[in-house]
Amino acid sequence: MNFPSNIFNSHSKEDGDFFLGMTRILGFKPKKLAVYKKAFLHRSANIRDEDGTPMNYERLEFLGDSMLGTIISKYLYTEVPTGDEGYLTKMRSKIVSREHLNELGKELNLIHYVESRIPKSHFGDNIHGNVYEALVGAIYLDRGYKYCEKFIHKSVIVPYVDIEQLEGKVISYKSLLIEWCQKQKKSFYYDIYEDTGNDAVKHFAVKLHINKKIVSKARATSKKKAEEIASKRAYYALQNKIDKE
Amino acid sequence: MNFPSNIFNSHSKEDGDFFLGMTRILGFKPKKLAVYKKAFLHRSANIRDEDGTPMNYERLEFLGDSMLGTIISKYLYTEVPTGDEGYLTKMRSKIVSREHLNELGKELNLIHYVESRIPKSHFGDNIHGNVYEALVGAIYLDRGYKYCEKFIHKSVIVPYVDIEQLEGKVISYKSLLIEWCQKQKKSFYYDIYEDTGNDAVKHFAVKLHINKKIVSKARATSKKKAEEIASKRAYYALQNKIDKE
């Protein structure tokens, strides 16, 4: 199968939707839309370029995987000045673990844009992480290093990287918070409900009440995760109080 | 042992020499000289920063290793548009192999700047590659991605990366050239001599004569390598002729 011309036609309705979707996910406007399209082409779509070379996201995944590792390395180097090489390597593997990348891809609902001949429900979990890496590779080619760094900060480091938790010093913010509430004789309640909205993937929202007041909110793809994020937010909001005990 | 103050004193004679040496190796002026000094600190020097954290090049090596992989990935992605993920991964491993990095570090004579308590003659070969990676890490911190990319192009890609040779399509430029000379009934002569100069590591220079005219020159740490580089240069210089046969 040859490459369908509409994939590179920047005036089609489909392209307009794809452009808007990418802009929302990336936080900036893509320049070379074709590169991003490639990031979502599964090999099963069996698309080839003009020379007959198979086109799919695997080459971009190779590039993005490497860039992701570099940005995380730089972050860890700067954030943990006392960590030796072994420590930095271990922390990096935790952050870029297959499981973690799959979660990231799922949160961004990247599978929505995947072009394949296989029904999406047949894919395993790894598609999410693979496409996330390919997307990083596409940003690298389209906008260079700086934009990659920004995107990785926004999508990985800010929401997910917590060095204390990675080190196992904090196992769960939920248990930390519950312990504190019990000690302080405060009531707490996780008000959790499904909130999928327009997303293709199921989402849950939670409001965390302490002494009948909402102290934090969160939204994620699992109940457990939404509760954990809300707990962490509440923990940092209350940290002054907790530390003063 | 605390960090000796002269290491950060940018007015010392030693620092002036180090600055000049780095400028020569890098091809640009370093801004934060202290970062480059760290790139040459072996753990045996047992130097610590003000907080007592051990200071040596291992953390920078972690950073440089990752950046090197990313730049090579980008290069391969662009240069070999038909190579799939497996091919790109294989080529990258060949380029950043321990053996290859050791050669690079040796060529730049980086060991000259290493600070250690172990006599330099006691180090194995890996010190050369490790310090090369640490130097890349230092450039990344001091001048950012773009300068790293330039340095890696200049020190790795331009002089050493030959995709045809990595793929095994060309085993040796020397044999290619000799074959051509014999077919063309041209005389050839590799004029090779030791040319160590001020370098700590032994070097050889070669002048390649074809029909009694010098067609190329090269200099390297082994005779074989110098001959190979000179042959490759001659090959490209004569390529039009060779291709027309």
Side-chain angles (χ1 to χ4, degrees):
Chain A
M1 177 179 167
N2 280 320
F3 203 74
S5 62
N6 73 326
I7 289 212
F8 284 117
N9 175 354
S10 61
H11 303 296
S12 71
K13 159 86 172 73
E14 256 175 60
D15 267 14
D17 290 348
F18 183 72
F19 178 83
L20 290 176
M22 286 302 108
T23 306
R24 190 178 46 77
I25 289 171
L26 302 171
F28 56 84
K29 288 179 187 170
K31 283 188 174 171
K32 300 174 200 130
L33 210 55
V35 182
Y36 296 91
K37 293 213 161 163
K38 211 186 272 180
F40 294 96
L41 272 183
H42 189 260
R43 63 185 310 153
S44 70
N46 200 19
I47 289 175
R48 290 169 185 275
D49 69 9
E50 288 164 3
D51 304 322
T53 308
M55 262 174 64
N56 57 57
Y57 62 64
E58 294 171 21
R59 280 164 47 87
L60 284 170
E61 190 190 335
F62 162 83
L63 195 60
D65 168 70
S66 189
M67 182 47 107
L68 179 63
T70 296
I71 304 286
I72 299 296
S73 300
K74 166 98 177 291
Y75 170 78
L76 288 170
Y77 184 96
T78 316
E79 275 312 290
V80 196
T82 57
D84 66 13
E85 197 194 352
Y87 173 92
L88 299 175
T89 306
K90 204 175 73 190
M91 285 296 126
R92 184 178 58 192
S93 331
K94 283 191 185 186
I95 297 172
V96 301
S97 71
R98 187 49 34 202
E99 199 190 347
H100 194 192
L101 296 185
N102 290 345
E103 247 178 62
L104 286 174
K106 241 185 244 178
E107 280 291 325
L108 296 172
N109 191 22
L110 300 180
I111 201 168
H112 174 71
Y113 299 96
V114 169
E115 300 250 352
S116 82
R117 293 215 174 165
I118 301 171
K120 287 180 188 175
S121 55
H122 290 202
F123 281 116
D125 253 7
N126 287 350
I127 183 97
H128 305 286
N130 294 346
V131 172
Y132 177 82
E133 289 180 327
L135 184 59
V136 170
I139 299 170
Y140 186 17
L141 289 182
D142 180 39
R143 305 294 298 262
Y145 172 82
K146 282 277 171 211
Y147 277 81
C148 261
E149 192 178 34
K150 272 188 216 165
F151 177 70
I152 292 168
H153 267 263
K154 189 182 82 125
S155 63
V156 188
I157 295 174
V158 174
Y160 292 107
V161 177
D162 181 324
I163 288 164
E164 301 232 308
Q165 202 160 25
L166 286 170
E167 280 182 336
K169 285 182 192 160
V170 175
I171 302 298
S172 138
Y173 282 96
K174 189 180 173 187
S175 58
L176 207 70
L177 199 81
I178 293 180
E179 200 183 308
W180 180 81
C181 287
Q182 286 170 339
K183 222 167 150 185
Q184 300 287 320
K185 310 215 185 307
K186 290 186 195 294
S187 70
F188 60 90
Y189 170 57
Y190 289 87
D191 178 17
I192 194 147
Y193 49 94
E194 203 185 308
D195 179 25
T196 300
N198 289 324
D199 291 317
V201 182
K202 210 182 236 195
H203 272 76
F204 296 91
V206 64
K207 289 176 188 160
L208 169 54
H209 301 249
I210 295 182
N211 273 1
K212 293 181 182 166
K213 256 181 62 188
I214 295 172
V215 291
S216 64
K217 294 177 187 177
R219 188 169 173 275
T221 45
S222 80
K223 288 186 185 179
K224 198 180 155 200
K225 198 154 167 204
E227 287 183 346
E228 187 58 18
I229 298 170
S231 305
K232 188 175 160 189
R233 286 179 180 155
Y235 173 78
Y236 284 113
L238 300 166
Q239 199 171 32
N240 279 330
K241 288 188 188 176
I242 294 176
D243 284 348
K244 276 179 199 151
E245 283 179 70
Chain B
M1 177 179 166
N2 281 320
F3 203 74
S5 61
N6 74 326
I7 288 210
F8 283 118
N9 175 354
S10 62
H11 303 296
S12 72
K13 159 86 171 74
E14 257 175 59
D15 267 14
D17 290 347
F18 183 71
F19 178 82
L20 289 176
M22 286 302 108
T23 306
R24 190 178 47 77
I25 290 171
L26 302 172
F28 56 83
K29 288 179 186 170
K31 283 188 175 170
K32 299 176 200 128
L33 210 55
V35 181
Y36 295 91
K37 294 215 159 164
K38 211 186 269 178
F40 293 97
L41 273 182
H42 188 258
R43 64 186 308 154
S44 70
N46 200 19
I47 288 175
R48 289 169 184 275
D49 69 9
E50 287 163 5
D51 305 323
T53 307
M55 260 173 63
N56 57 57
Y57 61 63
E58 294 170 20
R59 280 164 48 86
L60 284 170
E61 190 190 334
F62 161 83
L63 195 59
D65 167 71
S66 189
M67 182 48 106
L68 179 63
T70 297
I71 304 285
I72 300 296
S73 301
K74 166 98 175 291
Y75 169 79
L76 289 170
Y77 184 96
T78 316
E79 277 312 291
V80 197
T82 57
D84 67 12
E85 197 193 353
Y87 173 92
L88 299 175
T89 306
K90 203 176 72 190
M91 285 296 127
R92 185 178 58 193
S93 331
K94 283 192 185 186
I95 297 172
V96 301
S97 71
R98 187 49 37 199
E99 200 191 348
H100 194 192
L101 296 185
N102 291 345
E103 247 179 62
L104 286 175
K106 241 184 242 175
E107 280 289 325
L108 296 171
N109 192 21
L110 300 180
I111 200 167
H112 174 71
Y113 299 97
V114 168
E115 300 249 352
S116 82
R117 293 215 175 165
I118 300 171
K120 287 179 187 175
S121 56
H122 289 202
F123 282 116
D125 253 7
N126 286 351
I127 183 97
H128 304 287
N130 294 346
V131 171
Y132 177 82
E133 288 180 328
L135 184 60
V136 171
I139 299 169
Y140 186 17
L141 289 181
D142 181 38
R143 306 294 299 263
Y145 171 83
K146 282 277 172 209
Y147 277 80
C148 262
E149 192 178 34
K150 272 187 216 168
F151 178 71
I152 292 168
H153 267 263
K154 187 182 82 123
S155 63
V156 188
I157 294 173
V158 174
Y160 292 108
V161 176
D162 180 322
I163 288 165
E164 301 232 308
Q165 201 158 26
L166 286 169
E167 279 183 337
K169 285 183 191 158
V170 175
I171 301 298
S172 138
Y173 283 95
K174 190 179 171 186
S175 58
L176 208 68
L177 199 81
I178 292 179
E179 200 183 308
W180 180 80
C181 288
Q182 288 171 337
K183 223 166 151 186
Q184 301 288 319
K185 309 214 185 309
K186 290 186 196 294
S187 71
F188 61 89
Y189 169 57
Y190 289 88
D191 177 16
I192 193 147
Y193 48 95
E194 203 185 310
D195 179 25
T196 300
N198 289 323
D199 291 318
V201 181
K202 210 181 237 194
H203 272 76
F204 296 91
V206 65
K207 288 176 189 160
L208 169 54
H209 301 249
I210 294 182
N211 273 1
K212 293 181 182 166
K213 256 181 63 186
I214 295 174
V215 291
S216 64
K217 294 177 188 178
R219 188 170 173 275
T221 46
S222 79
K223 288 184 186 179
K224 196 179 156 201
K225 201 156 164 203
E227 287 183 347
E228 187 58 17
I229 299 170
S231 305
K232 188 176 160 189
R233 286 178 181 157
Y235 174 78
Y236 284 112
L238 301 166
Q239 201 172 30
N240 278 330
K241 288 187 190 178
I242 295 176
D243 284 350
K244 277 178 199 150
E245 286 179 69

